[in-house]
Amino acid sequence: MSDTAKQLIQNEIDTNPVVLFMKGDADFPQCGFSARVVQILSHVGVPFKAINVLADPAIRQGIKDFSNWPTIPQLYIKGEFIGGCDIVMEMFQSGELQTLLKEKNIPTHAES
């Protein structure tokens, strides 16, 4: 991975409380897995930054190298890699995602 891609990824993770590296964007996901994570985050009402990996091949491969995780989407909360679609879905269904967001002091619509 190039230093530029690594710095860009690290900067996004450091400056945004919730970051989703995905295919497409939040308004128009380009794969079902990305769409599902967007739907979950929208349902819990957490604001997030979506990074479209399809727009930059260096980021698309770079995020996989950065996290040592082979698939996209990838969710980060307060700098911590959470996982991909299956993990986010399981965490949401068990309530663990909502608990994590609360522990990290990230407001959701449920707290408004």
Side-chain angles (χ1 to χ4, degrees), residues 22-97:
M22 62 179 288
K23 293 178 180 175
D25 60 40
D27 293 327
F28 192 63
Q30 296 288 302
C31 82
F33 299 112
S34 292
R36 192 166 302 141
V37 176
V38 167
Q39 185 178 28
I40 289 168
L41 295 175
S42 297
H43 181 77
V44 298
V46 63
F48 64 97
K49 170 93 182 255
I51 308 290
N52 181 2
V53 301
L54 299 177
D56 186 342
I59 299 301
R60 184 176 185 171
Q61 183 57 47
I63 192 61
K64 294 176 185 180
D65 297 339
F66 186 89
S67 63
N68 198 27
W69 189 261
T71 59
I72 293 167
Q74 294 186 16
L75 180 65
Y76 288 79
I77 297 176
K78 290 276 179 117
E80 178 186 351
F81 175 58
I82 303 305
C85 181
D86 290 345
I87 291 170
V88 172
M89 194 164 60
E90 288 172 17
M91 288 178 70
F92 169 69
Q93 290 171 339
S94 72
E96 189 178 350
L97 178 64

